[in-house]
Amino acid sequence: QVQLVESGGSVVQPGRSLRLSCAASGFTFSTYLMHWVRQTPGKGLEWVALIWYDGSNRFYADSVKGRFTISRDNSKNTLYLEMNSLRAEDTAVYYCATEILGDYAFDYWGQGTLVTVSS
Amino acid sequence: QAGLTQPPSVSKGLRQTATLTCTGNNNNVGNEGVAWLQQLQGHPPKLLSYRNKNRPSGISERFSASRSGNTASLTITGLQPEDESDYYCSAWDSSLSAWVFGGGTKLTVL
């Protein structure tokens, strides 16, 4: 079955960097679009970034554009999110999620990894 | 980025029917359509419906979705205690080249 396991979340000081990973299994990773979505504890969902199945297209939320980079390694079935110049408002649980091209939906979700930006 | 509009809360009785709404515009809800997600307390979201009305395998027929113009709806029939959850709508916004979410509706089953 589809499994997505995020890792890399931690407590980090404002202005520092962090890289999140999402290990995928149970499906053909290279044929799925992949997303990062975040959720501030007790609040709603916020889309962060999307990468095409072959990495040819990437899209970002305005709130992270220029600071975050989404990437993937299809040979390792792994999705990444490089986060630079972190701010307090980036504190959230970060989920990776799949999208089948044409479904326009977040089909499967990982359990999430918590990023806390605090001095 | 502007989001979709959902009522913050809806309360209905056991075995009743709840209809949750999600309003956007021609660039998102009225475009490629809406997906609905359920998020139980302490769990990641789970897909309930996509492209306005399609239900993934394994999702109960008690959940049905529709769209009329720029407003999408999720109808849950025969409400059960386990339906008490947060529900989110989402859509691709072609003018923003970004995904947008609604603020979520907390459904309480009385």
Side-chain angles (χ1 to χ4, degrees):
Chain A
Q1 72 279 20
V2 172
Q3 191 167 12
L4 299 167
V5 179
E6 300 94 337
S7 62
S10 70
V11 179
V12 61
Q13 292 179 327
R16 303 298 290 262
S17 299
L18 199 63
R19 187 175 86 155
L20 305 182
S21 299
C22 169
S25 61
F27 64 104
T28 307
F29 180 71
S30 61
T31 64
Y32 280 66
L33 280 61
M34 294 297 298
H35 296 262
W36 287 101
V37 177
R38 67 186 181 184
Q39 185 171 34
T40 304
K43 298 290 180 63
L45 299 169
E46 181 187 14
W47 173 77
V48 173
L50 157 66
I51 187 167
W52 230 240
Y53 54 92
D54 58 359
S56 59
N57 288 300
R58 309 177 199 209
F59 301 91
Y60 298 92
D62 286 345
S63 57
V64 306
K65 204 171 290 184
R67 299 188 300 123
F68 290 13
T69 301
I70 187 172
S71 62
R72 64 192 296 162
D73 186 337
N74 287 344
S75 69
K76 296 182 178 179
N77 289 347
T78 303
L79 175 73
Y80 303 100
L81 185 68
E82 186 75 38
M83 303 185 293
N84 298 320
S85 303
L86 282 161
R87 306 168 180 166
E89 53 265 37
D90 295 319
T91 294
V93 173
Y94 285 73
Y95 296 102
C96 62
T98 67
E99 179 188 351
I100 297 171
L101 185 62
D103 271 4
Y104 288 94
F106 304 97
D107 302 288
Y108 297 100
W109 296 67
Q111 291 298 313
T113 186
L114 177 62
V115 173
T116 303
V117 183
S118 173
S119 53
Chain B
Q1 278 137 337
L4 308 176
T5 301
Q6 296 183 251
S9 63
V10 168
S11 297
K12 287 289 185 180
L14 195 63
R15 293 183 294 278
Q16 288 190 331
T17 295
T19 298
L20 313 182
T21 59
C22 170
T23 302
N25 59 43
N26 289 333
N27 297 312
N28 43 58
V29 173
N31 190 9
E32 299 295 349
V34 169
W36 288 91
L37 300 156
Q38 177 192 54
Q39 186 175 30
L40 298 170
Q41 184 73 23
H43 290 267
K46 174 183 174 182
L47 183 65
L48 291 179
S49 170
Y50 63 100
R51 296 303 296 267
N52 301 319
K53 60 180 182 177
N54 297 286
R55 203 168 39 235
S57 61
I59 300 300
S60 170
E61 292 179 355
R62 296 190 300 108
F63 294 90
S64 63
S66 62
R67 180 189 67 176
S68 177
N70 294 329
T71 297
S73 300
L74 176 70
T75 299
I76 311 169
T77 59
L79 283 169
Q80 299 296 312
E82 60 265 28
D83 297 330
E84 192 161 284
S85 182
D86 292 323
Y87 292 85
Y88 294 91
C89 59
S90 62
W92 172 254
D93 192 302
S94 56
S95 69
L96 300 174
S97 291
W99 276 85
V100 289
F101 283 97
T105 295
K106 183 175 184 60
L107 174 65
T108 299
V109 180
L110 302 171

